[in-house]
Amino acid sequence: MDLASLQDVIERTYGERDRERGVPSTVAWLAEEVGELAQAVRKGSPAQREHEFADVLAWVASLANQMDVDLAAAVQRYAAGCPRCASIPCACP
């Protein structure tokens, strides 16, 4: 699934509920999911890590939808490699 498809499915599945919850609560849920991902990275199984990565991506998509940010456009910042030095690998000091 590409980023545009992810944003679309998250919008259709949770969009109304997420907007009712609001941006501050969505940020809080995202932060909680990042914490769960950190724990899965340290102590989880591959399946648990995959689950938590998916949850983090879903909450990022929800937040982007609420903020009218197109993730596919936003990630173009990294299309040429490092956004600062435009190198792959990064050559920044």
Side-chain angles (χ1 to χ4, degrees):
M1 176 182 301
D2 63 30
L3 288 172
S5 297
L6 173 64
Q7 274 192 265
D8 178 61
V9 76
I10 293 299
E11 176 61 30
R12 289 183 292 115
T13 305
Y14 304 109
E16 186 176 332
R17 183 182 343 168
D18 288 347
R19 279 186 297 285
E20 287 175 13
R21 179 184 305 110
V23 169
S25 293
T26 300
V27 170
W29 278 99
L30 173 58
E32 183 175 324
E33 289 299 336
V34 170
E36 290 176 12
L37 173 60
Q39 185 175 17
V41 166
R42 286 191 330 271
K43 300 178 183 178
S45 68
Q48 289 167 323
R49 287 190 290 270
E50 185 176 291
H51 175 102
E52 296 305 336
F53 271 108
D55 287 354
V56 167
L57 288 172
W59 282 105
V60 166
S62 172
L63 183 59
N65 287 341
Q66 290 178 62
M67 303 296 300
D68 294 321
V69 171
D70 177 342
L71 288 175
V75 78
Q76 287 302 307
R77 178 172 190 246
Y78 290 91
C82 175
R84 217 168 104 200
C85 68
S87 295
I88 300 173
C90 174
C92 292

